[in-house]
Amino acid sequence: MKQRKLWMLAMIMILFTMACGNGDRKEQSAQAEKLLENAQKAKEYEKLLQLADSLEKTGELTAEKAYYWLGYASDRLNKKRMAEFYWKASLEAAAKEGKSADMDAFAKSASRLANLLTVRGDYEAGLKGAIPAAAKIEELKCDTTSDYVNLLIYIGCCQAGLGQTSDSTDDGFERAYQKHLENIEKNRSDAAYKNAIAGLINIAYACNETKNYKEALSWTEKFGKLLGEYEQRPGTSSEYIDKQIGRFDIYQAIALLGLGQTEEADTVFARFKTTQFSQTPEGRI
């Protein structure tokens, strides 16, 4: 109850400031973003819906960003059709703005929408929206964010679902992989490695799920190579490494089994069972 009162008070103060035209516009926007992020972290999705709607009406959120947050909250409330509607509305709002569009919100909405359609298995619709969205992000030189790279991975997931995987530069997986390698080369940071590892995990998983086992095996090999490189860095977490080795083993075993290489799959699966990760609830699943 106390938390709700504090949230209401903060909201009233911000709206009052906006209505009176007082305060710096950047400060107001920062306060609005903080409210949204706090509601997100607290998993208060109904509040998030109210905030996004109210702050868009007062001009503290662009239409693109407001629709993104409305879609995000709807998705978390398991209202998938509403989430799809809002994310599409975010992309349409950005299209109207042209070059002055909020590209951060655009990339987030495009990525979330592509993921939603991929999970649903609506691969053609996913590609129809994701490919031009990626092209727009590239055209405006905003292609350095994780949302953009995730969008490329979802393009690859749709291509895999439609049997369109290849080694060409048009392949979403390959483009995402190259972006991750560029980011590692540029930053050499722990975050860059972990983002790339997460990306390769998603790629390998998607290939196995769509029964593209040959591609899955190829991507697990890339995953293993990158993981080995990361493991040599000082200060890495042994628990994190064990978990990723477990994922590498199980994805490779699934791919080998799918290719009919039963003995090799059994060997890798036996290796998987030696990891601590295999004994966790997630590992057992």
Side-chain angles (χ1 to χ4, degrees):
M1 182 63 72
K2 183 178 180 182
Q3 186 182 21
R4 180 175 176 78
K5 287 181 178 179
L6 288 172
W7 176 82
M8 288 298 294
L9 179 61
M11 184 64 186
I12 290 169
M13 290 177 66
I14 288 177
L15 292 176
F16 178 76
T17 302
M18 295 170 187
C20 294
N22 296 324
D24 181 76
R25 175 64 67 177
K26 288 185 178 180
E27 184 180 345
Q28 292 173 2
S29 296
Q31 288 177 323
E33 290 284 355
K34 189 172 182 179
L35 276 177
L36 291 164
E37 290 169 5
N38 287 343
Q40 177 194 24
K41 290 175 183 177
K43 299 182 180 180
E44 295 174 329
Y45 303 123
E46 292 290 354
K47 286 183 182 179
L48 195 51
L49 286 171
Q50 296 169 19
L51 276 169
D53 184 57
S54 299
L55 294 170
E56 193 272 332
K57 288 177 179 175
T58 57
E60 296 314 297
L61 285 183
T62 62
E64 301 95 283
K65 187 159 287 186
Y67 284 130
Y68 163 72
W69 282 112
L70 287 167
Y72 178 91
S74 298
D75 184 56
R76 288 298 183 270
L77 291 168
N78 206 31
K79 298 177 180 178
K80 303 297 183 182
R81 291 294 180 183
M82 287 304 299
E84 180 181 355
F85 169 80
Y86 284 128
W87 286 328
K88 284 181 177 178
S90 177
L91 301 184
E92 289 170 4
K96 290 180 181 178
E97 291 295 324
K99 291 185 178 180
S100 62
D102 185 334
M103 291 307 295
D104 177 63
F106 178 85
K108 288 181 183 298
S109 293
S111 177
R112 295 277 182 178
L113 177 60
N115 180 42
L116 186 151
L117 294 172
T118 299
V119 171
R120 187 189 296 166
D122 196 349
Y123 303 125
E124 289 187 2
L127 283 181
K128 186 178 180 181
I131 288 177
K136 181 179 178 69
I137 293 169
E138 292 157 9
E139 180 188 351
L140 296 179
K141 309 297 182 185
C142 299
D143 56 351
T144 59
T145 68
S146 60
D147 293 300
Y148 166 73
V149 181
N150 287 337
L151 181 60
L152 294 181
I153 290 177
Y154 298 137
I155 287 173
C157 288
C158 291
Q159 290 171 329
L162 294 170
Q164 298 177 4
T165 54
S166 69
D167 295 326
S168 73
T169 54
D170 291 330
D171 181 60
F173 290 153
E174 184 62 33
R175 291 166 65 196
Y177 177 57
Q178 292 303 323
K179 278 291 180 181
H180 277 306
L181 292 183
E182 288 172 16
N183 194 34
I184 288 172
E185 185 65 30
K186 186 182 298 182
N187 298 296
R188 293 291 171 184
S189 65
D190 196 71
Y193 273 101
K194 286 187 174 180
N195 285 338
I197 288 168
L200 286 171
I201 286 169
N202 289 333
I203 291 171
Y205 178 82
C207 288
N208 275 330
E209 282 293 290
T210 54
K211 303 187 188 312
N212 289 287
Y213 299 118
K214 184 178 178 181
E215 287 80 6
L217 196 59
S218 174
W219 284 111
T220 55
E221 288 172 0
K222 290 183 174 71
F223 171 28
K225 182 180 178 181
L226 186 63
L227 183 59
E229 184 180 322
Y230 175 71
E231 193 175 3
Q232 302 306 311
R233 289 170 60 85
T236 55
S237 164
S238 59
E239 182 180 354
Y240 174 83
I241 295 297
D242 176 83
K243 183 175 184 178
Q244 308 317 319
I245 289 173
R247 283 172 161 167
F248 167 79
D249 287 340
I250 197 65
Y251 290 165
Q252 189 175 59
I254 291 168
L256 287 167
L257 188 63
L259 291 170
Q261 300 178 35
T262 308
E263 290 185 11
E264 293 89 338
D266 285 343
T267 299
V268 176
F269 184 65
R271 191 173 68 205
F272 163 74
K273 290 192 290 184
T274 66
T275 64
Q276 294 179 6
F277 174 65
S278 69
Q279 303 305 313
T280 65
E282 183 183 355
R284 291 192 187 99
I285 291 171

